[in-house]
Amino acid sequence: MARATRKPATKDPTLGGKRAPQEPAIYRDAPASPGLPGLREDTADYVGLSREPAEQLEGGLAEGVEVLARAVKTLPMGPGVYRMLNARGDPLYVGKARSLKRRVTAYTQLSKLPRRLQRMVAETVALEVTTTHTEVEALLLESNLIKRFMPRYNVLLRDDKSFPYILIAGAHDYPQIVKHRGSHEREGHYYGPFASAGAVNRTVTALEKAFLLRSCSDAVFNQRSRPCLLYQIKRCSAPCVGRVDRAEYAALVEDALDFLSGKSSRVQQDLASQMESAAERLDFEAAARYRDRIRALAHIQSHQDINIEGVDDADVVAAQQQAGQTCIQVFFFRAGRNYGNRAYFPSHDKQLGPEEVLAAFVAQFYDNKPVPKQLLLSHPLAEQDLIAAALSQKAERKVDLAVPQRGSKRNLVEQALSNARDELARRLAESSAQRRLLTGLGELLGADTTPERVEVYDNSHIGGSNAYGAMIVAGPEGFRKNAYRKFAIKQQGAAGDDYAMMREVLTRRFSRALKEDPDRSQGQWPDAVLIDGGRGQLNVALEVFADLGIEDLAVAGVAKGPDRDAGRERIFLPERQPILLQPRDPVLYFIQRLRDEAHRFAIGTHRAGRSKARLTSALDEVPGVGGKRKKALLLHFGSARAVQRAGLQDLEAVEGISKAVAKKIYDHFHGAP
């Protein structure tokens, strides 16, 4: 590993009431309604890149090249992963190489580097490397590190949520069918991934109708004394009360497993045969039940079956590019069924082609997900053979990567491309409209440039209890929900005081920002701050910023008008009279959406905290009383209040409560003598 240090280049900043007395307002006319503009042409190559002056870039380049040149002298010729670090020690870029020495040497040859990589070299103050045995291991490690550190110069897959599965649990005489998300640690059979929770829920409901499997938890199953509603509506066979014996239920489970594994024709034939047999016996009720189960299976197949030869366990991955953005559509096919699709918009440099973006996407996407037997791609990947070898090593079986050129498989890829094209068009239209609104908001607040990050703050409490502050974030791509933050009010006496709560929230938020990102280089500072409130809340925000030495944030308060009418909001700005926007001003609608989203998030946070508080009990504070003893006490006395009033001998009579523990409980509520 080679390291060197130098002074960092200076960089840029940003961040962030209620109803106030109504002051005279200045009316701002609604702007003319021009056509939606395109994406800004002066936007940086990708999110987070600033455009440094030429002389500053040249100086940084010389120092960056010197750092890399010194590091090259000690690098091995073998494979590995390298990390370029900035002055804060944060990774700028993670890359893998067949030969570390040759790859890093290439970064010192500035005439061959595009502008983007020159910027990266200019910011580099250190280089770290990890050697591996093979290039395949290097690729797997690179994908893992990219997802871990999210370096700004890599192609980044940000929306990488886990997928839901259908689980038919094992280790029980009467297995349960349930939607499952997360690690596959529970014993049983997993089927998926499904593109959405809605697709899983619909499939589970249909499977319940078709195979009458239980979906209740083991705890509920063990406590039932009569059938539940699902039995009445013919979605469960009620094994909890013995309406079906173990052998019959096992046969239902086996049919469900066969159906999910692709043996649907055999299952349907068996059900059809049983329906005909019941009809011949004149048992028309049984025949009707089999008919309903067949219809449930047909419902699943109508949504999922594709019946394309050679497509059994495969993902279709297609990339569409336009205006410097890429949409990647992934279709999931398992056991010959379509389990849905999902769109992704990875962050990347404009100059990268679909082959490079798709290669980075595939490597990162399957880092923590099961790999199917086959990937059908819209474009050949950069280093496709290497990626195929890495995925095969991860899956412990051969994984085939193919770019179909004709036939039914190509039709699937074309369908995915069409979906990607439509999603990207919608994204670009929304982004264009969003940027226009951000530009209008910046003009209203007197900002020098169009805000890239807007933070909105609100508080929520009831009579001072369960008090929370909330922060939401919006940008050109819409709401950034992964950047939302909640603040449990900690300062004594602040709960219930809107001004004190807002002061605590803003102080905590910006004190931490100054500590963790003083040079504002990580994209975590806002360009504009909106406060839900009037002049009073705005003044609190200005006082906090003044105390912290923050002088360059555009900030405003948003207060509802008389009778809390939407559309008559007043915008409070520092040292200016409040502004009342015209009712049809698009910027007013935008501000209302921002304020309403902050209000929704604050209320939701408060309700969640209140619900959690309700679940707490006076018994939780008793030393030596855990979950098991708490349950025993509540079952014996009926309530925590009855436990508090109980005598020492009554406590000792509870099963599982020793005399010593009973004494502790009694002393806790009555005071030790």
Side-chain angles (χ1 to χ4, degrees):
M1 177 175 73
R3 292 187 64 93
T5 58
R6 61 180 172 86
K7 293 183 179 179
T10 56
K11 299 203 172 92
D12 183 276
T14 336
L15 206 343
K18 302 295 178 202
R19 292 79 203 157
Q22 302 300 318
E23 302 179 22
I26 299 176
Y27 279 80
R28 175 179 182 270
D29 291 334
S33 182
L36 291 179
L39 294 177
R40 272 175 44 190
E41 295 181 359
D42 61 341
T43 302
D45 285 346
Y46 69 97
V47 176
L49 262 181
S50 59
R51 296 186 178 275
E52 302 89 347
E55 58 275 9
Q56 180 179 323
L57 180 61
E58 291 297 329
L61 271 172
E63 296 180 356
V65 169
E66 182 182 351
V67 168
L68 298 178
R70 287 201 304 268
V72 165
K73 297 177 182 179
T74 62
L75 292 181
M77 291 295 294
V81 174
Y82 58 94
R83 299 185 293 280
M84 293 183 173
L85 309 180
N86 63 12
R88 294 173 53 85
D90 300 324
L92 293 168
Y93 182 79
V94 174
K96 62 102 181 72
R98 181 182 303 173
S99 170
L100 286 167
K101 181 181 285 289
R102 290 175 182 168
R103 177 61 60 84
V104 176
T105 299
Y107 289 106
T108 65
Q109 301 169 358
L110 296 179
S111 61
K112 299 180 180 179
L113 297 180
R115 186 73 168 178
R116 176 180 67 95
L117 296 185
Q118 290 183 13
R119 288 195 188 99
M120 181 178 72
V121 171
E123 293 185 47
T124 300
V125 301
L127 183 77
E128 292 183 350
V129 302
T130 303
T131 60
T132 60
H133 291 94
T134 65
E135 191 179 4
V136 169
E137 291 181 5
L139 176 61
L140 294 172
L141 178 59
E142 176 197 40
S143 301
N144 183 274
L145 292 178
I146 289 173
K147 295 185 70 173
R148 177 181 174 188
F149 294 115
M150 304 296 284
R152 52 189 292 199
Y153 285 91
N154 283 96
V155 176
L156 300 179
L157 175 58
R158 297 184 180 276
D159 185 16
D160 191 20
K161 302 172 183 176
S162 62
F163 291 99
Y165 283 74
I166 289 177
L167 167 63
I168 298 183
H172 197 283
D173 291 342
Y174 299 94
Q176 165 199 29
I177 184 171
V178 66
K179 178 181 73 176
H180 178 86
R181 194 190 293 269
S183 60
H184 295 183
E185 296 179 353
R186 188 175 175 186
E187 182 180 345
H189 301 271
Y190 293 86
Y191 297 92
F194 286 80
S196 66
V200 174
N201 292 334
R202 289 191 296 271
T203 304
V204 168
T205 298
L207 290 173
E208 288 174 349
K209 294 177 179 178
F211 301 108
L212 306 178
L213 303 185
R214 71 178 181 94
S215 58
C216 58
S217 67
D218 291 347
V220 171
F221 178 88
N222 293 330
Q223 295 177 3
R224 295 298 305 182
S225 59
R226 59 180 180 177
C228 66
L229 180 62
L230 290 180
Y231 173 77
Q232 306 297 336
I233 61 175
K234 300 178 182 178
R235 280 175 49 186
C236 181
S237 55
C240 53
V241 292
R243 296 297 173 92
V244 59
D245 62 33
R246 183 174 177 179
E248 292 173 324
Y249 193 85
L252 293 173
V253 171
E254 191 65 28
D255 285 345
L257 294 176
D258 286 346
F259 181 82
L260 290 170
S261 300
K263 303 175 184 177
S264 56
S265 58
R266 200 270 306 165
V267 175
Q268 287 178 306
Q269 289 173 4
D270 288 347
L271 289 176
S273 175
Q274 294 178 59
M275 179 179 67
E276 292 174 1
S277 177
E280 290 175 358
R281 300 193 310 269
L282 303 183
D283 188 353
F284 298 115
E285 290 186 4
R289 289 196 295 270
Y290 288 120
R291 178 205 61 197
D292 293 342
R293 293 174 61 185
I294 293 172
R295 286 178 177 174
L297 293 183
H299 176 75
I300 299 175
Q301 291 173 315
S302 66
H303 287 79
Q304 295 181 349
D305 272 13
I306 54 171
N307 298 319
I308 294 179
E309 185 178 357
V311 178
D312 181 53
D313 184 11
D315 287 349
V316 180
V317 186
Q320 186 72 32
Q321 284 191 335
Q322 185 180 346
Q325 294 192 44
T326 302
C327 175
I328 296 179
Q329 276 278 349
V330 184
F331 280 69
F332 306 100
F333 295 102
R334 297 295 183 271
R337 292 189 176 84
N338 183 359
Y339 281 0
N341 61 293
R342 185 180 291 186
Y344 294 87
F345 297 89
S347 172
H348 63 86
D349 175 64
K350 292 181 180 181
Q351 308 305 319
L352 295 180
E355 296 83 3
E356 297 169 288
V357 176
L358 203 57
F361 173 87
V362 169
Q364 294 179 46
F365 186 74
Y366 293 105
D367 177 64
N368 61 349
K369 297 179 180 66
V371 185
K373 297 177 182 177
Q374 187 177 50
L375 295 183
L376 303 179
L377 307 169
S378 61
H379 299 77
L381 305 183
E383 300 181 308
Q384 181 163 311
D385 292 342
L386 177 63
I387 293 175
L391 295 180
S392 298
Q393 179 175 314
K394 181 180 183 298
E396 299 181 346
R397 54 173 164 73
K398 179 176 173 52
V399 176
D400 179 36
L401 274 61
V403 184
Q405 299 300 315
R406 63 185 65 85
S408 57
K409 292 182 180 179
R410 183 62 196 179
N411 292 337
L412 285 179
V413 173
E414 290 294 341
Q415 182 184 359
L417 279 170
S418 176
N419 278 263
R421 192 178 302 114
D422 294 342
E423 287 287 345
L424 185 55
R426 279 193 290 270
R427 174 89 166 203
L428 290 173
E430 291 170 359
S431 178
S432 178
Q434 185 83 354
R435 186 165 292 281
R436 178 185 168 211
L437 294 172
L438 287 169
T439 300
L441 178 63
E443 293 173 354
L444 176 66
L445 302 183
D448 296 332
T449 59
T450 297
E452 296 290 327
R453 179 182 171 111
V454 179
E455 294 185 359
V456 189
Y457 292 84
D458 192 13
N459 298 322
S460 183
H461 64 92
I462 292 182
S465 63
N466 305 119
Y468 286 88
M471 175 190 88
I472 66 118
V473 181
E477 70 281 7
F479 292 117
R480 302 180 187 174
K481 296 195 175 183
N482 60 343
Y484 287 14
R485 296 293 180 267
K486 56 187 73 172
F487 302 84
I489 301 302
K490 300 177 181 178
Q491 182 180 341
Q492 189 171 5
D497 183 339
D498 282 342
Y499 294 158
M501 290 172 64
M502 188 62 67
R503 180 176 287 105
E504 178 181 341
V505 169
L506 295 176
T507 300
R508 287 166 56 184
R509 162 63 173 113
F510 288 97
S511 295
R512 183 170 182 175
L514 288 169
K515 179 180 178 181
E516 296 183 352
D517 188 18
D519 57 1
R520 308 185 183 187
S521 62
Q522 300 181 21
Q524 299 302 311
W525 281 73
D527 303 300
V529 175
L530 298 181
I531 308 296
D532 184 18
R535 182 69 66 186
Q537 280 78 8
L538 175 62
N539 289 337
V540 167
L542 295 174
E543 290 171 6
V544 170
F545 295 152
D547 291 343
L548 296 176
I550 301 172
E551 302 175 350
D552 51 358
L553 288 184
V555 58
V558 182
K560 288 187 177 179
D563 302 320
R564 303 163 68 90
D565 286 344
R568 302 182 65 185
E569 284 82 359
R570 293 170 182 254
I571 314 301
F572 289 82
L573 300 171
E575 301 179 357
R576 292 171 58 183
Q577 288 184 309
I579 295 174
L580 187 63
L581 300 178
Q582 293 294 339
R584 295 187 179 182
D585 192 329
V587 176
L588 174 60
Y589 289 132
F590 183 50
I591 291 173
Q592 289 173 348
R593 280 174 49 211
L594 294 175
R595 188 269 322 280
D596 292 345
E597 173 67 4
H599 192 57
R600 180 201 65 78
F601 185 58
I603 290 290
T605 301
H606 162 74
R607 287 175 176 168
R610 195 172 71 217
S611 298
K612 184 177 180 181
R614 285 199 191 110
L615 297 177
T616 60
S617 164
L619 299 180
D620 295 329
E621 302 174 3
V622 182
V625 175
K628 191 172 182 179
R629 285 172 174 164
K630 176 182 172 182
K631 181 178 180 180
L633 288 167
L634 292 175
L635 288 174
H636 185 87
F637 291 103
S639 68
R641 182 171 296 180
V643 177
Q644 292 176 342
R645 295 196 298 259
L648 182 58
Q649 292 183 346
D650 296 328
L651 293 170
E652 292 175 354
V654 179
E655 183 178 356
I657 303 297
S658 66
K659 291 185 177 181
V661 173
K663 185 71 165 60
K664 284 183 181 180
I665 299 171
Y666 184 84
D667 290 345
H668 176 81
F669 290 119
H670 299 278

